[in-house]
């Protein structure tokens, strides 16, 4: 390139910034000796210009920068970075690396194209302003959320979805009417940052077909949306289609939460996986020990999140997703990694967590931590513990509900604590600090939780060594599939019991995609590598198991209809009265798997009475008297067959006598009016 078109440029902002007359390029690399900007034709992808950066002229501090005039866009770009190739560094000038701040990549939009070659480049193009059509953020309160954890491709990829654009952002848009009917008002999308779905080297042990990285917890770039979820191959299509999805979800009052993976990446210190950070400045971006990657993530490397450069990248990235992409919140995968200092020591709270908590741009953004990592760092309740700024995935809630509903002895004390909002975990906060869930993408689905005693992960090609062995599950007599109607009925009832507990608990409930119809993964509790019906939402199954769907939907709507369940205070002694088989006698030790309570509505006195019988016996339950002038009406009896297991508004039958036959492994919900 003619040097007359190359100017000094500026060190900020990082990335490639289109300005009047040209493009400013800025790249951080503390340890590089030389950096060369490579520009490529957008069609042929051939390099058309190499622009070396003179370290005496084009470098401020550790930022390499230049300004190139007169570029005809669109173009592709990348960097060749030279430096020491010996450990701990890994510079290789023969590899083009992706700018960490690239907003658009030229990755193929064909699923599985990465098996041929996965070397995406940054894209330089002028995007016309996106038309948000006046649609703005819903700004729902945390207390009002019902979160639906879902996978963009998995939601509509199956042919039974009958959408025009399966497996895509736009396919999800087509299913918004379903989400509205179901009643969820926030979708939590498991990773949509650009990743290589073909990075998994294993094959299915039976079919011998290649396995995948289906879940996407191996980002290449944190600014660019996944291209394989776009319907068009045109440059920038993923950006526009993602924004369209967000706009249409917002138009219908549904918030969008992104599951973000700022704890590791999908690249490695190897030639075939040197894609971005490793080849730019491995020593800065990654947390190393004696030149070797630390592994606090279970994935082979750990990002150095408390280095000022990575710290700033994370903040800049989140600002971008909020201001440009209109994202409502973030769920931070393995967020305890954020509290690892630059030596890997675990801190009570890091500068990064403090910055995220107090950042003015993120002030109205929901922050959700997965409060553990893969190296025994467990900090549930520890994210900004003195203010209601963070919510956290409550693993103790998950485990407590599982234990109690399957009838473990002496589990009801903890169950009651979780039901009331886990005040002991979040003593200076509110119950909205607790993201209550029973299942998530990682682990058994709800149906498998009541159908398997152990994991069945052979299909993952790791000899069943992957996935947790601690599932707190119960197969109810038969491992997996069965034709026994009694066992099937009991499993169905247990799923309803858990959903009822989830929707009545103080905190923010989260459901897993597919649990509403009893999706099974065949006992596989680690389906990260499976692209197929095992991970896809099966819309035909939704029709077959409509009774369960109807129950779950009714419980979601019941929660929305009752502010009593969504209060921003823990369920305390002035609001709850505990019972057992007899009123006011919870018998915490003598009746280890049976518990009832009255939740008092101080304003309307339309109190709720709920009883869980997690024993294998039928009990004649004495119900306390309703408030004066009111009668008890049945809302739920999980033992009954659909549609008598949950009643719609105006159809609730009245209880005449204050005794009730509560069958084994079943639950009862009454309302006074």
């Amino acid at each position: 390139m003619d040097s007359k078109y190359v100017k000094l440029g500026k060190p900020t902002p990082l990335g490639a910034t289109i300005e009047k007359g040209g493009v400013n390029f800025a790249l951080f690399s503390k340890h590089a000796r030389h950096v060369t900007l490579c520009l490529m034709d957008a069609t042929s992808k051939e390099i058309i210009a190499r622009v070396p950066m003179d370290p005496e002229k084009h470098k401020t501090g550790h930022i390499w920068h230049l300004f190139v005039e007169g570029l005809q866009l669109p173009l592709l770009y990348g960097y060749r970075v030279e430096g020491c190739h010996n450990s701990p560094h890994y510079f290789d000038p023969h590899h083009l690396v992706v700018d960490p701040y690239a907003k658009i990549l030229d990755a193929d939009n064909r699923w599985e194209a990465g098996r041929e070659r996965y070397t995406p480049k940054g894209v330089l193009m002028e995007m016309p302003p996106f038309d948000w059509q006046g649609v703005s953020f819903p700004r729902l309160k945390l207390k009002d959320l019902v979160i639906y954890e879902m996978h963009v491709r998995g939601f509509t990829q199956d042919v039974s979805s009958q959408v025009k654009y399966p497996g895509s952002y736009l396919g999800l848009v087509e299913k918004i009417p379903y989400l509205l009917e179901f009643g969820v008002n926030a979708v939590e999308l498991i990773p949509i940052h650009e990743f290589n779905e073909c990075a998994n080297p294993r094959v299915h042990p039976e079919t011998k077909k290649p396995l995948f990285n289906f879940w996407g917890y191996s980002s290449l770039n944190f600014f660019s949306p996944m291209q394989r979820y776009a319907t068009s191959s045109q440059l920038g299509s993923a950006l526009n289609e993602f924004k369209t999805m967000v706009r249409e979800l917002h138009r219908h009052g549904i918030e969008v939460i992104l599951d973000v993976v700022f704890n590791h990446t999908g690249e490695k210190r190897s030639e075939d996986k040197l894609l971005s950070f490793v080849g730019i400045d491995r020593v800065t971006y990654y947390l190393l020990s004696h030149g070797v990657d630390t592994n606090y993530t279970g994935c082979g490397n750990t990002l150095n999140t408390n280095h000022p450069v990575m710290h700033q990248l994370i903040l800049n990235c989140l600002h971008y997703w909020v201001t440009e992409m209109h994202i409502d919140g973030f769920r931070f995968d393995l967020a305890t990694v954020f509290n690892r200092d630059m030596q890997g020591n675990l801190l009570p709270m890091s500068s990064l967590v403090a910055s995220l908590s107090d950042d003015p741009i993120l002030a109205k953004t929901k922050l959700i931590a997965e409060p553990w990592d893969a190296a025994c760092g467990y900090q549930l309740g520890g994210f900004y513990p003195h203010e209601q700024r963070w919510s956290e995935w409550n693993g103790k809630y998950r485990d407590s509900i599982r234990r109690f509903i399957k009838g473990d002895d002496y589990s009801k004390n903890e169950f009651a604590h979780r039901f009331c909002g886990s005040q002991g975990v979040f003593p200076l906060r509110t119950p909205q600090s607790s993201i209550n869930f029973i299942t998530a993408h990682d682990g058994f689905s709800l149906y498998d939780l009541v159908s398997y005693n152990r994991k069945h992960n052979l299909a993952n090609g790791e000899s069943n060594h992957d996935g947790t062995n601690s599932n707190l599950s119960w197969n109810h007599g038969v491992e997996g599939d069965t034709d026994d109607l009694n066992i099937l009925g009991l499993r169905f009832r247990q799923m309803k019991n858990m959903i009822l507990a989830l929707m009545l608990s103080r905190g923010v409930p989260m459901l897993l995609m597919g649990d509403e119809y009893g999706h099974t993964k065949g006992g596989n509790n680690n389906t990260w590598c499976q692209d197929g019906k095992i991970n896809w939402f099966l819309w035909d199954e939704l029709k077959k198991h409509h009774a369960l769907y109807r129950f779950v939907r009714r419980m979601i709507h019941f929660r929305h209809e009752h502010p009593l369940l969504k209060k921003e205070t823990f369920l305390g002694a002035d609001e709850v009265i505990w019972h057992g088989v007899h009123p006011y006698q919870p018998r915490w030790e003598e009746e280890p798997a049976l518990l009832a309570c009255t939740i008092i509505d101080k304003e309307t006195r339309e109190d709720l009475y709920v009883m869980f019988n997690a024993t294998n016996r039928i009990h004649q339950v004495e119900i306390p008297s309703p408030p004066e002038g009111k009668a008890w009406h049945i809302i739920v009896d999980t033992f009954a067959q659909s549609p008598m297991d949950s009643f719609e508004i105006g159809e609730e039958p009245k209880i005449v006598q204050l005794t009730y036959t509560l069958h084994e492994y079943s639950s009862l919900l009454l309302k006074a009016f």
Side-chain angles (χ1 to χ4, degrees), residues 12 22 69 85 100 110 138 159 169 173 205 231 271 286 423 427 435 466 487 492 524 530 552 562 591 646 662:
T12 58
E69 295 179 337
H85 194 64
R110 296 173 300 142
V159 65
Y169 305 120
V173 170
T231 65
E271 285 193 11
Y286 289 96
Q423 186 172 7
I435 301 297
D466 63 307
I487 291 176
F492 180 61
N524 191 327
Q530 303 290 336
V552 179
H562 291 79
E591 295 174 355
S646 59
L662 192 61

Side-chain angles (χ1 to χ4, degrees), residues 207-221:
T207 68
K208 306 305 179 185
K209 292 183 178 180
L211 292 171
F212 291 84
N213 175 12
F214 182 75
W215 286 349
Y217 288 88
S218 56
S219 306
L220 162 64
N221 179 281

Side-chain angles (χ1 to χ4, degrees), residues 214-481:
F214 182 75
W215 286 349
Y217 288 88
S218 56
S219 306
L220 162 64
N221 179 281
F222 296 112
F223 286 86
S224 53
M226 178 67 165
Q227 184 66 33
R228 256 77 70 225
Y229 299 159
T231 65
S232 170
S233 60
Q234 293 184 351
L235 295 177
S237 58
L239 196 69
N240 276 329
E241 292 184 24
F242 182 89
K243 287 181 176 180
T244 299
M245 176 194 71
V246 173
R247 182 188 66 198
E248 297 311 306
L249 286 165
H250 281 182
R251 190 190 303 277
H252 293 90
I254 299 174
E255 293 197 336
V256 182
I257 299 169
L258 295 188
D259 192 337
V260 290
V261 192
F262 292 117
N263 58 76
H264 73 284
T265 71
E267 61 174 354
K268 296 288 189 293
R269 189 175 176 267
S270 62
E271 285 193 11
D272 62 330
K273 291 187 178 180
L274 191 157
L275 300 169
S276 184
F277 299 96
V278 167
I280 294 171
D281 199 327
R282 176 173 178 255
V283 173
T284 296
Y285 283 116
Y286 289 96
L287 193 58
L288 308 178
S289 177
H290 304 291
V292 178
D293 279 304
T294 58
N295 187 16
Y296 298 111
T297 66
C299 300
N301 59 40
T302 306
L303 286 169
N304 194 5
T305 58
N306 281 298
H307 188 285
V309 171
M310 193 63 204
H311 181 141
Q312 191 60 49
L313 184 146
I314 292 171
L315 277 175
N316 290 344
C317 183
L318 297 177
H319 291 170
Y320 174 78
W321 284 97
V322 170
T323 59
E324 296 295 325
M325 310 296 270
H326 289 201
I327 293 304
D328 303 281
F330 302 95
R331 178 265 187 187
F332 296 93
D333 182 65
L334 300 181
T336 294
V337 166
F338 290 178
N339 286 331
R340 298 275 180 186
D341 68 15
M342 287 191 283
Q343 287 72 47
N345 302 309
L346 197 58
L347 307 171
M349 185 173 66
S350 66
S351 60
L352 175 59
V353 171
S355 293
L356 297 177
S357 304
D358 296 324
D359 186 85
I361 293 177
L362 303 178
K364 294 184 179 180
T365 302
K366 296 169 176 69
L367 305 179
I368 301 172
E370 183 181 36
W372 50 80
D373 63 22
C376 300
Y378 193 83
Q379 295 184 311
L380 178 63
F383 279 78
Y384 225 56
H386 304 298
E387 293 186 30
Q388 182 58 46
R389 187 64 193 94
W390 287 76
S391 298
E392 304 175 34
W393 272 27
N394 192 342
K396 290 185 177 180
Y397 178 93
R398 171 200 61 205
D399 296 347
S400 174
I401 303 303
R402 291 183 179 191
R403 288 191 186 99
F404 178 74
I405 294 299
K406 71 187 181 75
D408 284 5
D409 285 347
Y410 309 110
S411 59
K412 76 177 186 179
N413 295 61
E414 185 181 359
F415 171 81
H417 182 64
R418 305 295 163 224
F419 186 83
C420 293
S422 297
Q423 186 172 7
V425 176
F426 310 105
L428 300 176
R429 292 151 75 180
T430 75
Q432 283 67 44
S433 296
S434 179
I435 301 297
N436 296 334
F437 68 105
I438 299 165
T439 57
H441 67 275
D442 192 5
F444 278 153
S445 67
L446 187 64
Y447 182 81
D448 290 355
L449 189 63
V450 298
S451 305
Y452 294 90
N453 283 352
R454 60 188 185 277
K455 66 185 183 185
H456 296 264
N457 295 5
L458 287 173
N460 299 344
E462 299 182 54
S463 302
N464 211 42
H465 295 312
D466 63 307
T468 181
N469 294 314
S470 177
N471 296 289
L472 300 175
S473 60
W474 178 30
N475 66 19
H476 296 87
V478 174
E479 187 75 357
D481 292 339

Side-chain angles (χ1 to χ4, degrees), residues 115-130:
R115 297 209 188 278
E116 303 165 14
R117 194 163 180 247
Y118 185 75
T119 55
K121 307 296 183 294
V123 177
L124 293 170
M125 63 184 299
E126 295 197 70
M127 296 287 291
F130 183 78

